[in-house]
């Protein structure tokens, strides 16, 4: 399997949400997805429980049904203040224009979701509304690192991914599409997957970590 040969630092700083640069016409080989999932299951889990489940969706009818739910959710979400970053009181001009680009890109994905070659739905046993044991933080932390590992492995193999959650507004309907037992299993995300058009991606502009880091004592 061909890999890009990125350094760990390059991989960690250039794994972006890819929406507009997905090759919708090029299928993703199942073996490639399986290979990325082998890295996903190397991730940590609370009590080493490894309760993760991954549902890969490549069936056109099922993708179209999920894309419809996603579009419905997007129409609701895009009218909310949170979608434009308007709720962020300290958003700088740079941040605001970055947010507008994200919105444009996300809107493109919403329109074209049915065309993505594959979708990955990471799931956990139990309902997020009723987490057991050590609670929601443990439940989420037992699936999110593995999913991110999948996304990193995908990037190294020339695949682009995007973490999405909007279909979860209609999670029960999505569960019905995929035969997921909704009462017993929570969907955590819908990760879009496809070969990227070009492989050059760059680090994002972010506030330096020092501006969000304290040592020993919380500062206001
Ligand atoms: C919890 C979570 C939910 C997200 N939901 C969506 C989504 O529903 N649709 C979408 O297009 N992007 C979604 N994103 C992607 C973010 O918009 C993206 O990570 C952010 O704009 C930064 O861009 P980057 O990942 O390219 O650095 C989500 C990301 C996270 C972590």
């Amino acid at each position: 399997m061909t890999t890009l040969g990125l350094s760990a630092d390059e991989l960690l700083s250039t794994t972006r949400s890819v929406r507009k640069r997905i090759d919708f016409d090029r299928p993703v080989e199942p073996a490639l997805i399986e290979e990325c999932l082998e890295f996903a299951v190397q991730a940590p889990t609370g009590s080493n429980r490894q309760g993760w489940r991954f549902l890969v969706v490549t069936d056109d009818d099922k993708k179209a049904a999920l894309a419809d739910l996603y579009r419905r959710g997007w129409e609701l979400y895009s009218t909310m203040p949170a979608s434009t970053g308007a709720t962020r009181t300290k958003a700088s001009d740079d941040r605001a224009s970055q947010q507008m680009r994200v919105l444009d890109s996300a809107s493109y994905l919403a329109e074209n979701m049915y065309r993505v070659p594959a979708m990955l739905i990471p799931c956990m046993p139990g309902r997020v509304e009723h987490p057991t044991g050590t609670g929601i933080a443990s439940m989420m932390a037992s699936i999110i690192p593995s999913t991110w590992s999948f996304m990193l492995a995908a990037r190294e193999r020339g695949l682009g991914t995007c973490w999405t959650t909007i279909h979860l507004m209609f999670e029960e309907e999505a569960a019905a599409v995929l035969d997921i037992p909704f009462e017993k299993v929570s969907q955590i995300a819908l990760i879009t997957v496809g070969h990227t058009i070009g492989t050059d991606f760059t680090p994002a502009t972010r506030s330096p970590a020092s501006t969000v880091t304290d040592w020993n004592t919380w500062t206001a």
Side-chain angles (χ1 to χ4, degrees):
M1 204 64 69
T2 318
T3 51
L4 299 182
L6 300 173
S7 71
D9 287 359
E10 284 168 333
L11 188 65
L12 288 168
S13 58
T14 65
T15 303
R16 302 263 72 81
S17 299
V18 187
R19 305 182 185 91
K20 290 190 169 177
R21 287 176 57 192
I22 292 296
D23 188 344
F24 295 135
D25 299 321
R26 181 173 170 194
V28 177
E29 307 80 340
L32 206 45
I33 291 182
E34 283 162 4
E35 195 172 294
C36 297
L37 286 169
E38 292 298 343
F39 290 97
V41 297
Q42 290 293 325
T45 50
S47 305
N48 194 23
R49 206 166 287 126
Q50 303 172 44
W52 41 42
R53 290 287 300 267
F54 301 97
L55 189 46
V56 183
V57 186
T58 53
D59 176 86
D60 283 342
D61 291 342
K62 291 187 180 187
K63 282 192 296 174
L66 295 175
D68 278 349
L69 296 176
Y70 189 90
R71 200 176 311 107
R72 265 167 61 196
W74 175 255
E75 276 161 22
L76 292 173
Y77 172 77
S78 54
T79 64
M80 296 176 187
S83 70
T84 59
T87 50
R88 291 194 197 109
T89 49
K90 286 191 191 160
S92 64
D93 287 351
D94 277 0
R95 201 57 191 282
S97 72
Q98 196 179 55
Q99 191 63 18
M100 292 321 287
R101 284 198 303 278
V102 170
L103 257 186
D104 177 59
S105 169
S107 171
Y108 175 85
L109 182 66
E111 283 311 310
N112 290 281
M113 179 71 100
Y114 68 98
R115 299 172 69 195
V116 301
M119 299 172 176
L120 176 77
I121 314 243
C123 298
M124 280 297 278
R127 289 299 317 157
V128 284
E129 306 82 49
H130 313 291
T132 53
T134 44
I136 190 79
S138 288
M139 184 177 180
M140 288 299 159
S142 294
I143 187 71
I144 290 172
S146 65
T147 307
W148 182 238
S149 292
F150 171 88
M151 293 164 78
L152 292 170
R155 158 85 173 119
E156 174 62 10
R157 284 156 182 77
L159 299 174
T161 57
C162 183
W163 191 293
T164 79
T165 44
I166 282 177
H167 89 287
L168 295 175
M169 291 182 189
F170 306 106
E171 185 189 343
E172 195 161 2
E173 288 176 58
V177 171
L178 302 169
D179 289 334
I180 296 172
F182 175 79
E183 299 301 331
K184 293 192 220 153
V185 172
S186 296
Q187 298 167 55
I188 308 301
L190 185 165
I191 312 297
T192 52
V193 187
H195 285 278
T196 55
I197 298 167
T199 56
D200 55 314
F201 292 91
T202 52
T205 306
R206 298 273 202 261
S207 300
S210 59
T211 63
V212 290
T213 308
D214 290 314
W215 289 72
N216 300 315
T217 305
W218 179 273
T219 57

